[in-house]
Amino acid sequence: MISGRRLIPGYTLRAVLPYVLLSLLLLTAVLFAQQAGRFAELALYAQIPFSLLTEVSLALLPSVLVFTLPTAVLAGVMIGFARMGSDSEIIAMRAAGVGTWTMLWPVLMIGLFVTVATTYIQLKEAPQAVRDLKKAALQGALRKLDSPVEPRNFNTEMPGYVVYVRDGDKAQGSWGRVFIYAQQPDGSNRVVTARSGRIDSSAEKSELVLSEAVATKIPAPASVDQRSYVVERLDQLRISINTGRADIVKRINESEMGPEELDWGELTKQASSGSPDERRAGLRTLHRRLALSVSPFFFALIGGALGMRVRRGGRSIGVLLALLIVVVYYLVSLLGESLARAGTVSSVTGLWAATALMFLMSVVLLAVNRLPVSAWSFLQFRKGQKPTDTGRIQADEIQAEALHTKGIGRFGFPSLMDIGLFRTLTLSFLLAFASLVSIFIIFTLFEMWRFIARNGVGARIVARYILFLLPLITVELFPATMLIAVLMTYALLARRSETIAWWASGQSVYRLMLPGLFFALLAGASTWVVQEHLMPNANVTQDRLRARIRGGEPRAITGTGRQWLASAESSRLYSYEFDEQGNSINEPAIYEFDPAGVHLASVTHGTVGTWVAANRMVITKSETFKFQGLEVEREVAESKDIPVEPLQVFKPTIDKPSQLSSAGLSGYLKSAKRRGMEVSALAVALQRKYAAPFGVVVMAFIGIPLALSFGRKGTIIALCAAVGLSIAYWGVGGGLQQLGNLGLLPPAVAGWSPPIIFAAAGTYVLSRVRT
C-alpha cells in the first residue's frame, strides 16, 4: 500500500511535468521574440554596445516569465490530466480506490514551487527589470542624440529645425555638406549651409558646430524690403539646439520611480506613507503582484480539478480548456483593476477577484468531480436517430466509406489516407494557431492595461487595435504554427504505428509527406495574401491606435503636410505640400546649390506648382532669390517654367517596411537608391518579405521527418523539437537580419539564408528516415 501511494503521485507527476516545461519553453520563446522585436530599432539606429544589448535581453525575461510561468502550469496540468482521462487511466485509478487528493497533491506541489519562483520574480526581479529597461532605453536615446542625422535623410527630430546631410559618418558623428532650415518667429526663413558639421554635447547642452558656414535670412512672402535679406559667411558657426538631452539626462539621474519600478519594501512604504494618489497606486500594484504571484498554485488547483473530469478529446481538449481559463482569469483581473482604479471597488476586491473566482470554481469542480466531461458532449444535444433507422444508416455509412476508399485523382491523390491527414492537419493547425494568438493577445493586453486604464481608453478602441493587429500576428506565427501542426499530426501517426501500415502497403515516406507539404503550400500562399493585401494598411492603423492607447498624439500617414525631397538627378532640395486631388504641389520652395553642393545658389518660392509635361513644372506667382557671394538678386514672375522630376517622385510615401507590401517596398527602395540614401535595412526587409511564405513550407519540410523520427518516442519529444526549431529559426533569422542591416551581409543572403539553412537541415533529417 505504501508503494502504491508513492506510485500514483509519481506517475501523475511524470505525466504532467513534461507538459509544464514544454508549455513554459514555447510560451517564453514566442513572447520573448515579440518583446525583443520592439528593441530592434534601438539596437540598429542607436548603435548601442553589445553589453547594453545583453542587459536589455536579460531585462526582458522577468516581464515575460511572470506571465508564462502561471500559464505554463495551467496548460501542463490540463494537458496531462486530459491525456490521462482520454486514455481511461483516471477511471482505472478510481476503480483501484485512488482518491482525488492522491492525484491532486503532486500538481499542487508543482503549483506551489512555481508560486515561490513567481513571487520572487514579481517582488524582486520584475521591478529591477523595469528599471533596467527604462535606463537602457534612455541610454540608447542619449547615444542616438550624439549623431541623430542619417546621411541622405531629412531629420525633423530637433525642434524647429529641418536638417539634411549629404555626406557623413553616422557612427563617428561627422557631417558633410550640411543644410539646415528653420522658420523664425517673424515668419522669415533662415537657411544655413556648411561644408562640414557635428553635434557637440556636454552635460545637458547640445550645440551644432558648423564649419565654412553661410547663413541666409529670407523674408516672409509679405515682405518686399530688399534690405531685410541677410547673408552671413562664417568660418565657424555654433547653434544651440534643444535635442531633449537635458530631459533625458534628468530622467536618468532622477531617483523618483513609478509603482512598477518599486520593489516590495519600497512599494509597501509608498502604500502606507505616500500621498493619497500614491497610496492608491501603490496598493493596486502591491495587490496585483501578490495576486499574480499566487496564480500558479490556483491554476494548478483548477487545472487538476477540471482535468480529472475529462474523458474524451485528449490533449486538444486540455489546450482548449486551459485557454478558456486563462482568458477568463486575465479578463476578470483586468476588469477588477479597472474598477479599483476608478474607485468603484477597493484594491483588495478588484485585484483579487480573479483569484477568488478560480478558487470558487475549483471547489465546485472538486465537489462534483465524479461527473465526467466529454470533449464532444455537445453532440448529445442533437436529435437522436430512431432505432428502426439504425440498419439503413449503417449501410449508408459503409457505402459512403467504400466510395471514398480509392483515390479521387488519376494518380491516387487525394486518397482516404490523404483526406484523413488533411483533416487532422487542419484541426491541429487551427488549435495551435488559436492557442498562440490567444496567448499573444492576452499578453499584449496584460502589457498595455496600465495605459488603457490610465488614459481612459474605451473598449471599442482596444478591440479595433486587436483586430488590426491580427494580420501582423498571423504572418509572424504561421511558421511556428505549421511546425507544431505537422509534428503533432505525423508524430501521432508514428506513435500509433499507422506509418508502418502505410509503408507495408508499398507507399514511401515521400508519398506520406505529400499531404503535409501541400497543406504547407496553402498556408504559405495564405501568408503571402495576408502580408501583401491586409497587413500594410492594418499596420498603419494599429500603429496609430497603439500610440493613442499609450497616451501619444494620434498619428496618421496621409498625403497632406509639409514634405521634403532631395533630388536624385541634381543637387536640389524641395519643400512643398502635396495636393492629392489636383496632383500638384502647394507653396513649393526649391533650393538650388552650387556645383559643389555645399552652399545655396538660388531659392524659388511660389503659390502652386503644376506639371505641364512629364519633367516640366510651372510655378505660379514665383519669387526667386539668386545668391552671388554676399549679394542677393530678386526676381518676380507670374509663372515660371522649370525642369523637375516626374510627379510620382513627389507623392508622399510610407517608409516603414511593415506598412508596405513587397511591391510598395520595392518602389520605395528604388526611389531611396536614386536619392543616395542608405538602403541596407530596406533591402533586407524586402528580401525577408519574399522569403516569409517559404518559411512556412520549410517548417513543414523539416517538421515531418522529425516527427517520423521522434514520434515513436512520444509526442512530447516531437513538440520539444518544435520549440527548439522555432527558437533556432527566429534566432538565426534575427541575427542575419541585423548583420544585413549593418551592411555586413548582402540583403539576399540575410533574407534567404534562414529558409535555405533549415531546408538543408530538413533534407539531412529526411535522408536519415527509413523510406
Side-chain angles (χ1 to χ4, degrees):
M1 183 64 68
I2 296 176
S3 61
R5 290 178 179 176
R6 293 177 180 175
L7 179 63
I8 297 301
Y11 182 81
T12 304
L13 198 62
R14 289 191 298 272
V16 169
L17 191 57
Y19 291 106
V20 173
L21 297 177
L22 179 63
S23 301
L24 177 62
L25 189 59
L26 178 61
L27 294 174
T28 303
V30 171
L31 297 180
F32 182 80
Q34 178 216 16
Q35 292 295 297
R38 296 184 180 175
F39 286 84
E41 183 179 358
L42 179 64
L44 175 62
Y45 296 106
Q47 310 231 340
I48 61 177
F50 180 77
S51 59
L52 190 55
L53 267 179
T54 305
E55 184 180 341
V56 169
S57 300
L58 293 176
L60 286 173
L61 271 178
S63 62
V64 173
L65 287 175
V66 295
F67 178 82
T68 58
L69 280 171
T71 308
V73 170
L74 175 62
V77 172
M78 283 298 312
I79 295 172
F81 273 108
R83 199 274 306 165
M84 293 168 62
S86 63
D87 291 345
S88 301
E89 295 178 5
I90 293 180
I91 294 177
M93 291 180 187
R94 291 196 180 279
V98 177
T100 300
W101 173 249
T102 304
M103 290 184 284
L104 189 60
W105 76 259
V107 299
L108 293 182
M109 293 304 297
I110 295 177
L112 185 61
F113 176 79
V114 178
T115 294
V116 173
T118 307
T119 302
Y120 174 76
I121 294 174
Q122 282 277 12
L123 302 183
K124 184 67 177 178
E125 295 300 327
Q128 183 62 46
V130 173
R131 292 197 291 265
D132 292 342
L133 281 175
K134 178 182 176 181
K135 183 179 178 181
L138 292 174
Q139 288 178 346
L142 198 60
R143 289 179 62 87
K144 188 176 179 180
L145 290 180
D146 293 338
S147 183
V149 180
E150 185 84 30
R152 299 281 179 177
N153 280 281
F154 287 96
N155 181 282
T156 58
E157 294 179 2
M158 290 179 278
Y161 294 92
V162 176
V163 181
Y164 182 77
V165 178
R166 294 185 186 274
D167 312 306
D169 186 342
K170 187 176 185 293
Q172 299 295 328
S174 59
W175 302 345
R177 296 192 292 176
V178 184
F179 169 86
I180 300 174
Y181 168 89
Q183 189 168 25
Q184 305 299 308
D186 60 359
S188 62
N189 300 320
R190 190 185 188 204
V191 177
V192 179
T193 55
R195 188 170 296 277
S196 61
R198 68 181 189 277
I199 287 185
D200 271 358
S201 299
S202 59
E204 300 179 358
K205 297 180 180 179
S206 297
E207 283 187 327
L208 278 173
V209 182
L210 306 173
S211 302
E212 297 185 36
V214 174
T216 306
K217 181 180 179 182
I218 302 174
S223 174
V224 294
D225 186 358
Q226 182 73 20
R227 291 173 298 178
S228 65
Y229 308 146
V230 179
V231 180
E232 299 177 277
R233 187 177 295 272
L234 305 165
D235 290 334
Q236 187 179 80
L237 175 63
R238 287 181 172 268
I239 303 175
S240 179
I241 57 174
N242 177 21
T243 60
R245 184 183 183 87
D247 181 60
I248 294 176
V249 172
K250 179 181 177 182
R251 292 177 63 186
I252 291 177
N253 295 327
E254 69 183 3
S255 58
E256 183 178 354
M257 296 182 292
E260 301 296 333
E261 303 171 55
L262 302 178
D263 59 22
W264 173 259
E266 296 166 335
L267 199 57
T268 52
K269 183 179 179 181
Q270 176 178 310
S272 60
S273 60
S275 64
D277 289 339
E278 290 178 344
R279 285 200 300 270
R280 285 192 293 269
L283 282 172
R284 286 196 304 269
T285 305
L286 187 65
H287 286 290
R288 181 176 70 249
R289 288 185 188 174
L290 289 174
L292 293 175
S293 297
V294 300
S295 61
F297 179 81
F298 289 96
F299 276 173
L301 178 63
I302 191 172
L306 184 58
M308 284 188 291
R309 301 178 64 231
V310 175
R311 296 294 181 266
R312 295 179 59 187
R315 299 175 183 87
S316 59
I317 189 62
V319 172
L320 291 175
L321 290 174
L323 215 71
L324 180 62
I325 293 173
V326 168
V327 170
V328 171
Y329 177 83
Y330 282 102
L331 285 180
V332 174
S333 178
L334 296 177
L335 177 62
E337 183 174 355
S338 179
L339 293 175
R341 189 182 295 272
T344 306
V345 297
S346 66
S347 298
V348 175
T349 303
L351 276 303
W352 287 93
T355 305
L357 177 62
M358 293 296 106
F359 179 71
L360 181 61
M361 290 173 62
S362 302
V363 172
V364 173
L365 289 170
L366 288 173
V368 293
N369 59 19
R370 293 290 180 180
L371 300 177
V373 174
S374 171
W376 314 107
S377 58
F378 65 89
L379 295 176
Q380 304 302 322
F381 291 99
R382 66 181 182 179
K383 187 176 180 179
Q385 301 288 346
K386 295 182 179 179
T388 55
D389 295 336
T390 303
R392 180 175 55 81
I393 293 170
Q394 290 178 350
D396 291 343
E397 290 176 351
I398 293 172
Q399 183 180 4
E401 183 179 356
L403 291 174
H404 291 85
T405 299
K406 295 182 179 181
I408 296 175
R410 180 179 178 183
F411 301 100
F413 180 83
S415 66
L416 183 62
M417 181 71 171
D418 296 323
I419 294 173
L421 276 175
F422 280 133
R423 185 184 300 113
T424 307
L425 278 169
T426 302
L427 292 176
S428 300
F429 187 88
L430 293 176
L431 176 63
F433 183 67
S435 302
L436 292 178
V437 169
S438 300
I439 296 298
F440 201 101
I441 291 175
I442 291 171
F443 183 78
T444 301
L445 291 175
F446 182 74
E447 178 195 21
M448 298 185 63
W449 185 253
R450 63 180 184 273
F451 301 107
I452 296 172
R454 183 182 65 192
N455 299 320
V457 180
R460 183 178 179 183
I461 295 176
V462 177
R464 288 189 65 216
Y465 169 69
I466 296 299
L467 176 64
F468 286 104
L469 187 64
L470 284 177
L472 177 63
I473 296 175
T474 300
V475 173
E476 289 187 354
L477 294 183
F478 256 33
T481 304
M482 176 55 62
L483 181 61
I484 294 172
V486 297
L487 281 169
M488 290 174 61
T489 301
Y490 282 88
L492 287 174
L493 285 179
R495 185 167 177 79
R496 295 170 180 170
S497 300
E498 294 179 29
T499 53
I500 297 177
W502 178 270
W503 293 325
S505 65
Q507 301 291 335
S508 69
V509 69
Y510 307 111
R511 178 62 179 81
L512 184 61
M513 291 176 62
L514 187 59
L517 294 178
F518 187 78
F519 185 85
L521 285 173
L522 293 178
S526 302
T527 302
W528 179 259
V529 170
V530 173
Q531 175 185 273
E532 296 300 300
H533 300 285
L534 297 179
M535 193 174 76
N537 291 332
N539 279 352
V540 173
T541 305
Q542 66 102 349
D543 282 347
R544 174 174 56 83
L545 292 173
R546 182 180 180 85
R548 182 174 178 182
I549 291 172
R550 295 179 69 91
E553 291 296 325
R555 297 176 184 271
I557 301 174
T558 64
T560 62
R562 199 73 182 171
Q563 309 287 327
W564 286 85
L565 173 68
S567 172
E569 285 76 21
S570 65
S571 58
R572 283 180 181 172
L573 299 181
Y574 297 93
S575 175
Y576 58 92
E577 289 188 8
F578 191 83
D579 184 359
E580 290 278 2
Q581 296 180 346
N583 278 334
S584 60
I585 57 176
N586 298 328
E587 300 181 8
I590 304 173
Y591 300 89
E592 293 268 10
F593 288 80
D594 58 24
V598 178
H599 299 301
L600 286 177
S602 67
V603 178
T604 300
H605 293 274
T607 305
V608 178
T610 307
W611 274 262
V612 294
N615 290 52
R616 305 291 302 183
M617 175 193 290
V618 172
I619 299 178
T620 59
K621 297 184 179 179
S622 68
E623 182 181 32
T624 302
F625 303 98
K626 296 182 178 180
F627 305 100
Q628 299 177 355
L630 299 180
E631 299 293 327
V632 180
E633 180 181 344
R634 178 173 178 264
E635 295 180 358
V636 179
E638 281 298 318
S639 64
K640 184 176 183 179
D641 190 320
I642 59 172
V644 295
E645 284 74 15
L647 170 67
Q648 190 66 29
V649 176
F650 286 79
K651 288 187 176 182
T653 58
I654 300 171
D655 59 358
K656 294 183 69 174
S658 62
Q659 298 174 352
L660 291 167
S661 64
S662 59
L665 182 57
S666 177
Y668 179 75
L669 179 62
K670 293 176 182 177
S671 176
K673 283 182 178 179
R674 288 198 300 268
R675 300 177 192 175
M677 294 171 54
E678 174 58 44
V679 295
S680 296
L682 295 174
V684 172
L686 179 61
Q687 295 300 324
R688 284 175 64 87
K689 281 184 178 290
Y690 290 147
F694 293 94
V696 180
V697 181
V698 168
M699 287 295 100
F701 183 71
I702 194 174
I704 295 174
L706 272 177
L708 296 176
S709 299
F710 293 108
R712 299 183 189 92
K713 302 176 183 178
T715 312
I716 293 293
I717 303 296
L719 290 177
C720 288
V723 174
L725 277 174
S726 299
I727 295 173
Y729 190 79
W730 281 324
V732 171
L736 292 176
Q737 181 185 12
Q738 294 304 319
L739 292 176
N741 290 342
L742 297 174
L744 301 178
L745 284 178
V749 174
W752 285 94
S753 289
I756 292 175
I757 291 172
F758 281 82
T763 304
Y764 172 77
V765 176
L766 181 60
S767 68
R768 309 295 295 179
V769 177
R770 187 176 60 184
T771 61

